Each structure stands twice: as C-alpha cells, then as structure tokens.
Amino acid sequence: MKEIKTTKAHFVEFLKPTLTVKTFNNEIVTITCNEQQIEELDSLFTFLNNHTVLNLLNILETDNDRFVEFIILEPDYLIDISALAECFKPYGNHPLNYISSRLRCREITSPILLGNTANFFVDELIYEKELKDDYINLLKKLFKTAAFEFSACDDLKDEKKERDFFINCQKQHRNILTIVEKIFPKARIEENKIILEPSFISNALGLQGRMDILMSDYSSLIELKSGKAVEDFRTGGEFMNSALNHYTQIILYLAILEFNLGLEPESVSPYLLYSKYPILHKENYYRTHLQQALQLRNKIVAYEYIIQSANNIDTTKEILARINSKNLNIANLTGKFFDNYLAPSIDEFAKGYNKLNELEKTYFLRLFTFVSKELWLSKAGEKEYEGIKKASVLWNASFEDKLIAGEILYNLSIIDNKSANEEHSITLQIPEYESMYLPNFRQGDAIVLYERRKETDNVNNRQVFKGSIEYLGDTIKIRLRYRQKNSSVWHPESTYAIEHDYMDSTYVGMYRALTNFVNANQDRKDLLLCQRFPADASECYLLVGPPGTGKTSISLKNMVVDCLSSENNSNILILSYTNRAVDEICKTLNTIRGVDYIRIGSELNCSPEYRNNLLEKKLDNCSNRKEVYDVISNCNIFTGTVASVWNKSELLQLKSFNLCIIDEATQLLEPHLLGILCAKNKSENNAIKRFIMIGDHKQLPAVVLQTKQESSVYEENLNEIGLTDLSNSLFERLHKKYSQEKQNHLLGFLNQQGRMHPDISFFPSKYFYEGKLECVGLPHQQEVLSNNRKRLTFYAVAPSKEEQASKTNINEANEVVNICREIYEQDKENFSPESIGIITPFRNQIALIRKQLQEDNYELFSNIIVDTVERFQGSQRDTIIYSFCIKNKAQLEALPNVMTDEDIVIDRKLNVVLTRARKYLHIVGNEELLSNNELYRELILHIKDQSNYSITNK
C-alpha cells in the first residue's frame, strides 16, 4: 500500500465510478471514486474538460486500485477561507452565497465594529499589559486606531444602539481579560507562544487565509468570535454549540496546517473563542465536514469559471437569476425570522436589479462578466503578461524559472526588526547575487515574505508575511501589513525570501461599485449611459490634456479656485488613479493660499511632505465622534486615489460634494468609477453633484488582462451608447459619444504645452494631435544648443546573437550607459541623475540596465530612474532615453498600444515615450526590425531628416 499526499493533474474523463487524469508528468492515472465524489463530479460534469486542473489529495494506492480522499478543482484559483466559511448559512450551504456576498454594499455596522474591538482587546491584553485593567484608556486607544470607522457607523447614531454597543464593548473587555488570565492557562495556552494573525497560502487546497491565534509550536489554533454561537433560548440565550460557519473556518485552517506544514489535525487543539459568553470551546474534528467545505469550494470555483469562460451576458444573467431566497433556502426555513430578516437580505440584490431597464441590465451584466474574467485571469489565467504575473506564479513557477524572470529575492538575512513597533517594519540584507541575476522589484511593490531555509521552502509550506517595499538598495525594508509582536516568529539565524504578492481587493471593490450602479438615482444612470446629455458643462465636463499642458498644475488649480469662489461652502473631491498623481495634486493644492485638504490613503503610499494631510493624521487629536465630524465637515477638499476613497466609501455618506475632479481619467475603467459616481448621500441625493474628468485617451489606458477579442462588446444597445470595448475608460466612451453627437460644449482641449522643446514635440503633435500642440515658449523651449548636442537622436543597435534571454538586450543596455556617460562628460558640474529617465518595455531589461549603470565607474548613475512606459506616464525628465529592446517580429507586433481616433492610427505607448522629455530624447533600437512598423519607420526617417542619427554595430 502506497500513499501520495498530493498530485496535480488535468482532467481526462469520468466514467462512473472511475476518474481518469493526466498528471503534470504526463502519467495517466485512474481513480476509483466514492459515492460523494461521484455525486460531486456529476454536478460538475459540464464544467470539466481537458484544460481543467485538479489537485488529488491523499491518494491511496493498493495492488489493484487507487483511491483519493479530496479532489480540488482549479486549485490555482484561491478562495479566502473566511469568505468560504460564510457560505454556510442557517438556510443552507449554497455556492451562490459567495457571489451574493460580493454584491452587498459595504457597511460599517456595530457588530463589525464589535468584532474589530474584540480583536483589539485580544492583541492588547496579551502583549500590552500596562492598560489591561484600564478599560476607559484602552477604549480611547482603540478609538485612535479607528476614529473614522466609529464616526461613520450609523448604528452608533441611534442612542439605544450606541448604549448597547458600549455595554457590549465593556463586556467583551471583561470576558477577554478573563479568558487570557484564567482560561488560557487551564488550556495550556502560553502567552509567549502566541502568534497573532498568521497568514497562509495553500495551493494544495485552493485556499488562503489569516488565522486569529496560532501557537508557535502548533499545539493550538484559536479563532476569535465576538458574535453569537448557536444559543439555547430555553435558558435565556446561553451558549449551546458553535455556529456552523465558525466551525467551518477552523476546520479549514486545520486543513491548511495539514497540507502546508504536514501536521496531523489531531495534533493541533482547535478552539473557538467566543468573547460574548465567554467560552474557549474546544472543537471536535470531523473529516466529513472538511469534505463538505471543500466540495462547496469546488462548486464556487465552477461558477466562477463558467461565468468567465462563457464571457457572455446570457450565462451571467442565468446564474445571477438564481440568487433569491427561494433558491438559496435549501433548509426550507419558514417563520418570521426567515421572512423578515434572512430573506430580505438574500433578495436585496434581485430587488434592485429587477427595477433596471433593459439597457441598464445589459450594462450591468456585461461589466460583471468583464470583472469576473479579469479576476480569473489575475489568479489562475493561462496567459503571461509583462509586468503583470498571475498569482499562481508563486507556487507553479520553479525556483529556476523565478530566477530567470527575476521574480524572487532570496538568501535575505534580518538586520533590523521593528515588526513589533508602531511602524511594523523589518529590514533585510540583500546578498551579492551572481552577476547575471536581475531581480524585478521596486519601491512600493506588494510582497510576501517567508522563511526559506532550504530549496524546497516556499509560500505553500511556510507562514507568509505580507507587506510593501518601503526601501530598496543593498538592503530591503518591508512595511508589514500587521504588527508581529511575538519575536518567536522570526529566526535571525535563518534566511528569508521575498516574492510579489497578488491581491484581489481591487476586484472586490469593482463588484461593490456595480451594486452602487444598480441602486443609483435614475438621473445619474441616464447620464452615464448617455440616455440624456448634460444641459450644460457644469454637470459633466471632459477635458483632454495632452502631455505637458498643465492638467494638474494649472487647470486643476483653476477649477478648485473657481469652485471655491463661486459657491459658498463648496466641497470638492479630487481623485486620481495613482498615488504618484495624488502627490502632484497635493503639491498643487499647497500652492493655493488659505486652502486646507484631507488626503485619503496610507502613509507608505504618500510622499513625506504630504503625510500631515492624511485623514488619520488629521484625526489624531480627536477624542470623540463629534470632533471627527467637525474635522470632516470643516474641510472642503478631499483627495486620494479612486481605490483608496472607494475603500472609505462612508465618506460619501458623511459628506456631499459639489464637484468631483477625476485626474488620469483615461487610466480608469468604467467599474473603477461607478461606485463613486453613483453614490448617494443620506438624503438619497447624488453624493457627487457634478464631475469633471481630465485625461488623454491618446496616452496609455488602464492595464487589462483580457485580449481585445475578449473585452470587446457586441450587444447592440451597448454599442449605441459608445461601449464597444471594456478595456477603454468611461472618459473615452463619453468623449467619443459627445463628439459624435456634437456636444462640443461638454468637451475641452488644452493645446498649450510647456514641457517639450519644439524639436521634440513636433512628431507627436503631427502624428497624434493633428498638429494642434503649441509651445508656450518657456525658456527651455527657446534654448539654443551648443557643443553639437542634438535634441532628438536615434541609435541603431543590432542585438547580440549570443544573448539567450528574450526580454533583455545587452547591446542596447550598454548603449544606454554610453549615452549617460556622454551626458555626464558634456556638463560634469551640473550633472544630475534626477534629470534623466530611462524607459524600456520589459522588466528584465530594466533590471539589466540598472545593473549596468550600477557597475559603471560613475557612482551617480545608480540613482537614475529606469522603468516601464506605464510607470513613466505622468512623469517628465530633461532627458529621456528609450531602449526598444525588440529582438523579433512577435515582440514588435505585441509592443504598440494602438487606437483609432477619427481615422488616425495612434500608438499610445509611443506617444507616452516621446512626450516625457523636456530637452533631449535618445532612442535606442534595432533599425531593421523597427522599420517593419510604419509609425516607427516614420519616426526614424524624421530623426534622419534632422541629422540626429547614430549607428552602433555590436
């Protein structure tokens, strides 16, 4: 008899009772299924095909047969354990409970706050002893950490609910103190072994999750619950048994410890800590319930797959139509509790959806399908994208593959550990790697950190710590997402690895935004769907701002000043796509005399000079909710990224805005903006009275994982409103529609650019802006060159034949360094690395150029910024150097980002490259290959005509 823990395979066929699969080693394996598995595979049969990936867990081989304990469908599509557990409802365990939960508007309720309060008390009472008996000061400390959330909670505005909440808070504190001081010791829970909120990723199970408490020796696992268990109402509501959703959660965490760390479930004592009662309830372990939970996970994934693979609104419509209280009430509950409380919650989405007209329904269904496909591709898609790797790279790629792609930092050693402090950071030493290893990491990247003592260690067999890169040089400083107060989780003598993290919070926000559209006021839906045009530009206005035209520094500033001066007590919301752009907005706001503003966002993503304007900083001195209200109501201007403001969507209920200005609007997809533009305030009026979108649809759009064919829209009624491709922005659709309908009063165009010298702006003006770009005539635009320097230069560089990596070009990298040397030699005294920007399409070429710069004799070169076109959009430098790094026709065809505007073909990527430079533009590439592209050929000929041409043969 032989037992195999896990095998990954493709489905081949299912002929009852035999399942046939083909392993990733091309071995054909047949499995004899039990009755439960036969029933499950029957229910999934229409979904299964030869592309379907299965994980077979605990395969038992006998002389005559093979059996498997668990079958995991599409394990690369990770489901969050808490979300899966919440699908176990009193009325039934249905996979559509998962989709239904996505479509609920986010609310901060008193039970949610109470749960957060309980977690806070556990943290403080275990590790922060000085306030353990001082409930009032502990509560004040709690308020400091979540002042906005406490103030945005509607429940606390009701006197009775407020009184009940704080009574429960005090009761929670008393109960948790009792548990920590008296019950923990009896259960042999040693405080010095407690790890709070450890995270795990399990590709074996297709799950991920963050536990509440885990003992460092894995002896016990504790999940904290502030809510109700199953109560015995005959005895006045006392604890009777654990709630099924809570029990499911802890059973799934035990499974992660089993399949990730190799622990036997019986070796871990699982507890549910109910702080309401208080009870530390030891749970019995039932393997059959784990089977039920994993089967439900498979059914959820099947629905997700069907929606994205069909990619049509009929399939989505048919699935969403099943979300109703009649269909999801598997337990056939009856009575007042179900009819008055549970059923209305289930039917809430359908109630709003059924009121939509045909166009609105089609629009919703098409966007829902689009978001679902984007989410699938980001997690488990088969495609690879430059700079955008699917989540499954973390476990599917070999260490060697990660080295080639530069997707791992390894052999890191801890040199400074502040994970227990308020800043919760950890700094690690980066070793000296082999000369050709080129890691692809940048400041601000989201990462996972894990202990890697041996080659087989990875995110699937180690606890992972999540965070972001705060500093990157010879050392790397990580700002952890959660404080780690127990020092035993770190092993200073060990080595660690860092890889990129992949989060789906953006997609969760998009689903919520679609629900906001469903519930929006009719006038706003009609406006967004072009069923009416604004009476004048005051309600909606689109401003096209080509590069260097002062969209932020001038136009946005004027809009703010005009609004504040024309309307008393005007409230203005200013949004952008990136934090870097929000920094620019803050810089502009700082130039307006007498103006104060609040920035929504995190400290890590905000430049230091603007951190005092962050919401949390502004609320630092608030000791109660009234003071929070005063701070928010007395401030007229709020700014932040669309994502960060949408994550604090309660702001749109606390405050209405006369004007919303959306910068970088062409980089925002329709679902990104719907939540904010469709928001309603407490009076059910539009939270955003009017909005202005600023952007340039001829520059790079939002990054989308789907192909043009997949994101194309074929529904006629959507085509009529200008929606033909969901990879385009709302700005682009409205601009196209307003142009077609001659609504020119709703459109503006900035044609005065103060960035580029005329020699540089000539080509993009002619080919992309119909010759309309005019120079302001600033000093650097009138500057006369000396010492034979050229404004615009092309360097013809042939690729090295010996080079194997397809997305690096050593000859071009060396030429880039040569150009930097020439710039330095021409003016050593005034040389500034900050004045140079180097752009290239591929992250591997970025790493190679950085390496060549760092190894050069000129120490200053290591400070020159090297990045992708996408990351340079919105930036400018005196000198731009562009390395095409194109080595074959396939890359040449994939490189451009083409759109057609009034029969003019525009390469948006090239437009961005050419318009970043103020004074000098140097382009390096393979002339013979690039000349196969008509626009590139025109550019090279234009440069030749100016006699700015160099040939470098290497």
Side-chain angles (χ1 to χ4, degrees), residues 239-343:
F239 176 93
M240 187 169 74
N241 212 335
S242 300
L244 187 57
N245 55 335
H246 301 158
Y247 177 73
T248 301
Q249 201 167 342
I250 208 156
I251 285 293
L252 290 170
Y253 286 140
L254 285 173
I256 278 192
L257 295 178
E258 175 185 352
F259 287 96
N260 278 38
L261 305 184
L263 299 173
E264 292 296 329
E266 293 78 9
S267 71
V268 183
S269 297
Y271 295 95
L272 279 167
L273 191 165
Y274 280 99
S275 55
K276 177 185 176 182
Y277 298 101
I279 287 177
L280 184 65
H281 190 255
K282 189 170 183 179
E283 301 297 329
N284 293 316
Y285 179 73
Y286 295 109
R287 201 71 167 176
T288 52
H289 190 73
L290 175 59
Q291 182 78 57
Q292 293 171 15
L294 293 177
Q295 286 178 349
L296 185 62
R297 179 222 166 261
N298 287 346
K299 290 176 182 178
I300 290 169
V301 172
Y303 272 117
E304 298 284 274
Y305 180 86
I306 290 167
I307 290 172
Q308 69 84 26
S309 63
N311 199 21
N312 66 66
I313 65 171
D314 292 332
T315 300
T316 304
K317 180 180 180 180
E318 192 273 328
I319 289 174
L320 295 185
R322 301 179 199 172
I323 300 177
N324 58 72
S325 56
K326 182 179 180 181
N327 187 49
L328 300 192
N329 185 16
I330 300 172
N332 295 318
L333 294 186
T334 57
K336 288 184 178 180
F337 181 68
F338 181 80
D339 294 340
N340 297 338
Y341 178 71
L342 297 178

Side-chain angles (χ1 to χ4, degrees), residues 1-13:
M1 187 178 292
K2 179 183 175 185
E3 187 172 335
I4 301 171
K5 197 68 178 174
T6 176
T7 294
K8 207 168 191 177
H10 282 106
F11 171 84
V12 175
E13 67 176 359

Side-chain angles (χ1 to χ4, degrees), residues 704-919:
V704 169
L705 304 182
Q706 297 172 54
T707 64
K708 282 291 180 183
Q709 183 178 358
E710 290 168 332
S711 64
S712 292
V713 176
Y714 300 103
E715 289 79 16
E716 288 185 12
N717 57 353
L718 297 181
N719 292 162
E720 288 173 3
I721 66 169
L723 190 58
T724 58
D725 189 338
L726 285 166
S727 68
N728 294 332
S729 62
L730 175 63
F731 180 103
E732 187 170 346
R733 174 168 70 83
L734 294 181
H735 188 277
K736 185 176 181 180
K737 188 66 176 176
Y738 291 172
S739 298
Q740 289 173 346
E741 300 294 334
K742 309 300 182 187
Q743 300 290 320
N744 296 330
H745 61 289
L746 305 177
L747 306 173
F749 181 83
L750 300 173
N751 69 331
Q752 296 282 317
Q753 69 88 12
R755 174 183 298 166
M756 297 163 279
H757 188 277
D759 290 351
I760 296 173
S761 66
F762 177 84
F763 188 89
S765 178
K766 176 182 177 181
Y767 285 90
F768 305 142
Y769 295 103
E770 302 172 21
K772 294 179 180 178
L773 282 189
E774 299 175 3
C775 291
V776 174
L778 297 177
H780 76 275
Q781 293 178 313
Q782 299 176 349
E783 186 179 56
V784 178
L785 284 178
S786 58
N787 61 25
N788 295 320
R789 289 197 70 178
K790 306 293 184 183
R791 295 282 178 197
L792 189 59
T793 314
F794 180 82
Y795 299 79
V797 176
S800 169
K801 293 181 180 179
E802 292 77 27
E803 200 165 22
Q804 294 181 350
S806 62
K807 292 182 178 179
T808 59
N809 189 318
I810 187 65
N811 287 348
E812 287 193 22
N814 288 335
E815 190 62 48
V816 167
V817 176
N818 289 338
I819 294 168
C820 292
R821 286 199 198 105
E822 290 174 11
I823 295 169
Y824 175 78
E825 293 295 338
Q826 286 168 350
D827 193 359
K828 292 182 180 179
E829 291 184 5
N830 297 313
F831 179 82
S832 169
E834 288 77 20
S835 69
I836 299 174
I838 300 172
I839 304 175
T840 192
F842 308 125
R843 287 181 68 139
N844 281 8
Q845 182 71 353
I846 290 171
L848 179 59
I849 291 172
R850 283 179 182 162
K851 175 176 172 292
Q852 298 301 96
L853 289 170
Q854 288 169 1
E855 291 182 355
D856 200 81
N857 291 329
Y858 299 106
E859 190 175 320
L860 286 170
F861 287 2
S862 62
N863 295 324
I864 296 174
I865 298 295
V866 190
D867 223 323
T868 61
V869 186
E870 289 78 8
R871 300 269 287 214
F872 255 98
Q873 180 156 297
S875 299
Q876 62 179 5
R877 295 289 188 278
D878 284 349
T879 300
I880 288 291
I881 306 170
Y882 182 51
S883 168
F884 263 107
C885 196
I886 296 299
K887 296 164 68 173
N888 55 60
K889 288 189 176 180
Q891 289 179 343
L892 180 67
E893 291 172 3
L895 181 64
N897 189 307
V898 174
M899 67 163 291
T900 303
D901 186 54
E902 297 181 359
D903 299 325
I904 299 173
V905 177
I906 297 162
D907 182 348
R908 295 187 277 201
K909 185 170 284 190
L910 183 64
N911 185 23
V912 173
V913 170
L914 299 181
T915 54
R916 300 307 95 200
R918 297 175 75 246
K919 297 181 178 181

Side-chain angles (χ1 to χ4, degrees), residues 389 393-395 397-412 429-434 436-442 445-461 469 472 476 495-502 843-844 847:
K389 303 292 193 303
V393 167
L394 275 170
W395 49 85
S398 67
F399 180 69
E400 290 72 23
D401 287 341
K402 291 174 183 178
L403 287 180
I404 292 170
E407 290 297 314
I408 187 169
L409 287 165
Y410 61 101
N411 288 347
L412 307 173
Q429 181 69 51
I430 301 175
E432 201 167 308
Y433 296 123
E434 293 182 12
M436 284 310 293
Y437 183 51
L438 311 170
N440 286 326
F441 290 86
R442 293 177 282 210
D445 283 355
I447 59 90
V448 290
L449 167 70
Y450 60 92
E451 189 177 4
R452 187 176 184 272
R453 295 189 180 190
K454 51 186 184 295
E455 290 186 5
T456 53
D457 287 344
N458 57 48
V459 296
N460 276 312
N461 56 28
I469 297 176
L472 181 60
I476 183 167
T495 54
Y496 288 80
I498 285 174
E499 298 189 54
H500 287 100
D501 192 15
Y502 307 86
R843 287 181 68 139
N844 281 8

Side-chain angles (χ1 to χ4, degrees), residues 497-730:
I498 285 174
E499 298 189 54
H500 287 100
D501 192 15
Y502 307 86
M503 296 174 288
D504 55 12
S505 56
T506 299
Y507 302 101
V508 173
M510 286 185 182
Y511 285 119
R512 287 197 297 113
L514 293 179
T515 300
N516 250 28
F517 169 79
V518 168
N519 298 322
N521 288 324
Q522 193 62 45
D523 68 318
R524 185 52 52 90
K525 285 188 284 196
D526 288 344
L527 174 65
L528 295 173
L529 296 183
C530 298
Q531 298 307 287
R532 69 177 183 89
F533 295 117
D536 55 55
S538 65
E539 185 179 6
C540 171
Y541 189 70
L542 309 180
L543 180 62
V544 177
T549 52
K551 298 185 291 293
T552 305
S553 60
I554 300 173
S555 299
L556 186 145
K557 178 178 180 178
N558 291 339
M559 291 173 193
V560 171
V561 172
D562 288 348
C563 183
L564 292 175
S565 60
S566 62
E567 300 180 49
N568 291 329
N569 296 317
S570 291
N571 292 318
I572 305 171
L573 179 63
I574 309 174
L575 306 172
S576 199
Y577 176 59
T578 62
N579 281 293
R580 175 192 45 73
V582 177
D583 284 341
E584 290 298 315
I585 290 168
C586 293
K587 182 180 178 181
T588 296
L589 293 174
N590 283 348
T591 66
I592 305 175
R593 183 179 299 174
V595 162
D596 191 18
Y597 63 92
I598 290 176
R599 176 169 178 170
I600 309 295
S602 70
E603 184 177 278
L604 191 58
N605 292 320
C606 176
S607 288
E609 59 265 41
Y610 311 121
R611 287 177 183 170
N612 285 335
N613 289 88
L614 286 167
L615 176 64
E616 285 71 20
K617 294 287 186 182
K618 292 284 188 178
L619 301 182
D620 257 353
N621 296 322
C622 294
S623 58
N624 56 56
R625 281 173 286 145
K626 182 184 181 304
E627 291 175 2
V628 172
Y629 296 140
D630 289 343
V631 169
I632 291 175
S633 61
N634 291 333
C635 185
N636 296 108
I637 300 176
F638 286 75
T639 188
T641 64
V642 170
S644 60
V645 171
W646 183 228
N647 282 334
K648 284 258 192 300
S649 55
E650 296 78 18
L651 175 68
L652 301 169
Q653 295 181 323
L654 291 174
K655 200 171 184 70
S656 293
F657 292 92
N658 306 66
L659 174 64
C660 177
I661 303 171
I662 304 165
D663 194 15
E664 293 188 320
T666 48
Q667 290 187 275
L668 291 158
L669 300 171
E670 302 217 7
H672 285 140
L673 287 173
L674 283 181
I676 291 173
L677 294 182
C678 292
K680 294 189 287 190
N681 58 25
K682 295 295 183 186
S683 304
E684 294 293 301
N685 296 318
N686 295 327
I688 305 295
K689 184 178 178 182
R690 55 195 180 94
F691 59 93
I692 298 172
M693 290 197 281
I694 307 172
D696 182 4
H697 52 293
K698 296 180 180 181
Q699 295 188 63
L700 282 170
V703 176
V704 169
L705 304 182
Q706 297 172 54
T707 64
K708 282 291 180 183
Q709 183 178 358
E710 290 168 332
S711 64
S712 292
V713 176
Y714 300 103
E715 289 79 16
E716 288 185 12
N717 57 353
L718 297 181
N719 292 162
E720 288 173 3
I721 66 169
L723 190 58
T724 58
D725 189 338
L726 285 166
S727 68
N728 294 332
S729 62
L730 175 63

